[in-house]
Amino acid sequence: MPMFWLMNLLLLIGAIATWKHTPKPASRGVTFLNRGQTEEWKGWMQWAFIMYHYYRAWSAYNWIRVFVSSYVWMTGFGNFLYFDKTKDYSFSRVLSMFIRINYFPLLLCFVNSVPLELYYVVPLHTEGFFMTMITCYIAHKLQTSHGMSYYKANIAAILISLLAHVLFFETSAVEFLKVFSDEYHFRFQADKYSAWSGIVFGLLYKKINEYLNWVYNSETSNNPVLEGNMYKIQIAQRILGFSLILFWYMAFGYIDDKYTYNPIHPFIFILATTGWLLLRNSSKWLTECHSTFLEFLGKNTLETYVLQFHLFMNHSVQFIPIVLPGSGPDGNSLMRFLNMLLCGTIFVYVAVQAREMTVKTQESMVELFQLITGKEKEGGNANYQQVSTSDKNIELTNNNNTVESGTVEDDVKSISSDEITTKHKNIIREQV
């Protein structure tokens, strides 16, 4: 357990050493959960999750559960923003997502003869993607076919989705998951509302950005209320964020028995997640900063998630590879630490290569499909052009995160309107 906290301390040092500030002019505004910040978030949660397994830090179980749910939350959040912006419900989109998330895990399942439930976050994110896509499509049809306003249509679709969740997860229908395995039955219930709550935050995304710009962009807001009060508002936001995390821990997070905690987790994880978001975005400077080291880790979360079971650890993370002599259970602490660094370096290198291989496969399969069907992108040009006329600078957040160790390969791109039509193929290249 001490090594678990030591490794997280080293991560903090690495994060500070690679802290990067990219100032944005007031004219561009403040963006909630930009790409760098999202990758950073995935990165440190992934690190904590892997070290949790490696050092058997079981006392941190409840925190890790929150991290897993936050990854699944990002699936709903990011995909809502994507569909809300592009209205792209094409088969190309589905194919691209499915390959990005499932290709490498399925390949490992076949080669190593292990069940997919070993990488249970992959099905969680796949289901979260389709659930979000269906919810957004319902909202789209309510707007276009029934003339409902934007917010009324989306609220109606989200409520329909919630009803479907309740009817399945809160009734005996959930027992259907046992047809696949008891593991799926547990995992899907643990995150039954995670992606859905991400959709809710996605709907609030524009309002959140309006709030951030109202508070932090005083140069453009010209609001007399902010004069002399901006600092007070930021302090209040930090107090609220810290209070939510503290309340989660004091009321639920302290529970040692995971069988007592697990049933209530799906309903209360959002307290800690919201608290973190409030703290992380509690100043304009913080919204413009991120750690490049954590960003690097966050970009490879899908691959590090699945490969941890085979390279960094093995036999369902029950054993640790011993490469250096004297680094076994009876070896000294230095040799065991060096063994961990060596195995970790190989592990991360292979994960990066696997990601590149998966992305190339993803792009090739989508291009092949488009070539066969004669469609460059179903509905693509019109939708992207529509977006370009309404926003001068666009950030598409496309988070398909994973993890109890992460799979969140989100693509968040910033692109000017005059580049949209020529670069739309590169806006969304990956998805976990």
Side-chain angles (χ1 to χ4, degrees), residues 49-111:
F49 178 71
I50 293 177
M51 292 304 161
Y52 161 83
H53 272 161
Y54 194 88
Y55 290 110
R56 302 294 190 266
W58 306 135
S59 62
Y61 175 83
N62 294 347
W63 289 101
I64 298 301
R65 286 253 53 86
V66 171
F67 296 167
V68 176
S69 296
S70 296
Y71 274 109
V72 182
W73 177 93
M74 281 189 269
T75 298
F77 176 78
N79 279 294
F80 175 88
L81 296 187
Y82 172 84
F83 290 119
D84 188 54
K85 282 285 188 181
T86 67
K87 307 299 185 291
D88 175 18
Y89 304 99
S90 65
F91 183 77
S92 292
R93 174 61 178 167
V94 174
L95 179 64
S96 176
M97 178 287 307
F98 187 84
I99 294 175
R100 180 65 189 97
I101 300 180
N102 293 273
Y103 171 72
F104 188 52
L106 289 175
L107 184 62
L108 287 175
C109 287
F110 176 76
V111 173

Side-chain angles (χ1 to χ4, degrees), residues 311-312 338-352:
L311 288 180
F312 198 51
L338 292 176
N339 182 78
M340 185 274 295
L341 288 181
L342 176 60
C343 293
T345 301
I346 297 172
F347 162 59
V348 173
Y349 174 78
V350 174
V352 172

Side-chain angles (χ1 to χ4, degrees), residues 23 40 167 175 191 193-194 261 281 293 314 335 339 390 398 401 406:
E40 174 196 275
L167 291 177
E175 300 302 312
D191 283 299
Y193 298 116
S194 300
Y261 174 78
N281 294 273
F293 174 59
N314 49 48
M335 291 305 298
N339 182 78
S390 61
N398 187 19
N401 318 341

Side-chain angles (χ1 to χ4, degrees), residues 93 103 127 173 207 222 268 291 295 321 354:
R93 174 61 178 167
Y103 171 72
E127 184 276 335
K207 296 299 180 182
N222 295 320
I268 51 87
S291 164
E295 179 185 24

Side-chain angles (χ1 to χ4, degrees), residues 380-399:
N381 288 336
N383 288 325
Y384 283 104
Q385 186 62 41
Q386 180 182 2
V387 172
S388 69
T389 59
S390 61
D391 294 303
K392 184 177 181 181
N393 290 293
I394 294 174
E395 285 199 1
L396 292 180
T397 305
N398 187 19
N399 290 326

